[in-house]
Amino acid sequence: MHDATPKLTIQGGNPLRGEIRISGAKNAALPAICATLLTRDAVKIKNVPLLMDVTTMLSLLEQIGVKVQSDNQSEVVLSAADLTQLTAPYEMVKTMRAAILVLGPLLARAGEANISLPGGCAIGLRPVDQHIKGLETMGAEITIKHGYIHAVAKKLQGARIVMDIVTVTGTENLMMAATLAQGTTIIENAAREPEIIDLANCLIAMGAKIEGAGSDIITIEGVPSLHGAEHKVMPDRIETGTFLAAACAASGDIFLKETNARHLDAVLDKLTESGAKIKSGDHWIHLKMNERPKSINLRTAPYPAFPTDMQAQFMSLNCIANGTAVITETIFENRLMHVQELKRMNADIKVEGHTAIIHGIPQLDGTKVMATDLRASASLVIAGLIAQGETVIDRIYHLDRGYEAIEKKLSHLGAEIQRTSNS
């Protein structure tokens, strides 16, 4: 039997040195792409990362009737003059939960939407009930049958919405829907992530009236229509954090450009605690690591606390750190699946409920491992970089969903890493 799935092969032990550019943020590009459904005019989005999820989202919009033009890789022009099909089918949604983000804009602009219930990666339930509850508060009639959310609303009405739990995509969906609603919408207990501010900036450029993005209360005054605009996607803070964690683990000296240190306070604090020397400016971060890292305790929580999307990468760092670390995951229930794979590399980790206790050892052993989700695959790449011998990572399609050309960027920093497939 031939196995044609791509793998990454890493020879561990090389320090990371040099300079790379950080890509646009996947989790900011996806909502901005969906926001273009709110206007008949063309919208240009710049600094779009070349990723599987972005390609999937663009083809979903094409199915809905949006014209997609892309002259160069990082710029895309979207024209949603005619929406021909108000459905997001299961085939599209199952690989990418973010497809739920077409619900709000379609409902607000076309008065109707059919969205398959999301699939996506295996890190646990991410309920869409907050999206539904919020839209119902704004007057939408929503039914769920045969695995589809069917939503109808002649005209959405502004409302006060109190989110039961902090949800990023929920906040984004309701924010987009509210831009064209009649009257004022107030979202309380809103997510505060930088990606929310980025989407607000995109919508404001299109003529929306939004205040308070980045705080836990966002106020949106509905307008009759939005217009074309140009928007540049923010840099990817998780890609930034991943490279910094890798360099901290692999005694690196790296310079990251086109990134924003202000989005990463919690991560930079922990890296500093581990022993890294960090300097940063408006659009750059420099990290230098001269010693074996000290172990660092973490607890994930919504922004501005330590991000769940960086937990796995820091676990790999802790595997070879000096001392014992305790990592507690509070966001997703089965987000410790990388532990089994790290243990195959000889890591000393014990899991108790949502907590992992990691005893640092001087060196991991290279072996064959398998990626279980997007950030877990990043943690295995870091583990491979610091392990003795060869590490082969299977199922890296997870990695391609969130990292643009990770093996090229790491090679550029001196890692011995290559993509292979035995076909």
Side-chain angles (χ1 to χ4, degrees), residues 403-414:
Y403 292 94
E404 183 174 38
I406 191 167
E407 73 280 9
K408 290 194 179 112
K409 289 186 180 183
L410 284 169
S411 296
H412 189 71
L413 294 174

Side-chain angles (χ1 to χ4, degrees), residues 188-227:
E188 297 187 29
N189 196 23
R192 297 161 56 188
E193 270 70 3
E195 290 79 3
I196 300 281
I197 301 174
D198 202 64
L199 174 61
N201 291 341
C202 176
L203 292 166
I204 291 165
M206 293 166 68
K209 294 186 175 165
I210 302 173
E211 280 174 13
S215 77
D216 57 356
I217 300 179
I218 302 175
T219 307
I220 303 114
E221 198 185 314
V223 295
S225 65
L226 295 180
H227 52 68

Side-chain angles (χ1 to χ4, degrees), residues 82-104:
D82 305 305
L83 304 178
T84 50
Q85 164 165 311
L86 305 176
T87 299
Y90 178 68
E91 296 69 57
M92 289 286 179
V93 182
K94 71 175 180 190
T95 58
M96 178 189 58
R97 291 164 183 273
I100 188 77
L101 288 169
V102 300
L103 176 60

Side-chain angles (χ1 to χ4, degrees), residues 265-275 296-299 306 314:
D265 289 340
V267 171
L268 296 178
D269 286 352
K270 288 293 175 188
L271 290 166
T272 304
E273 202 182 307
S274 180
I296 22 189
N297 298 330
L298 299 177
R299 183 184 181 84
F306 193 89
F314 269 73

Side-chain angles (χ1 to χ4, degrees), residues 167-186:
T167 148
V168 176
T169 51
T171 302
E172 290 168 343
N173 238 335
L174 298 175
M175 201 159 87
M176 290 190 278
T179 58
L180 296 178
Q182 207 160 3
T184 303
T185 300
I186 298 169

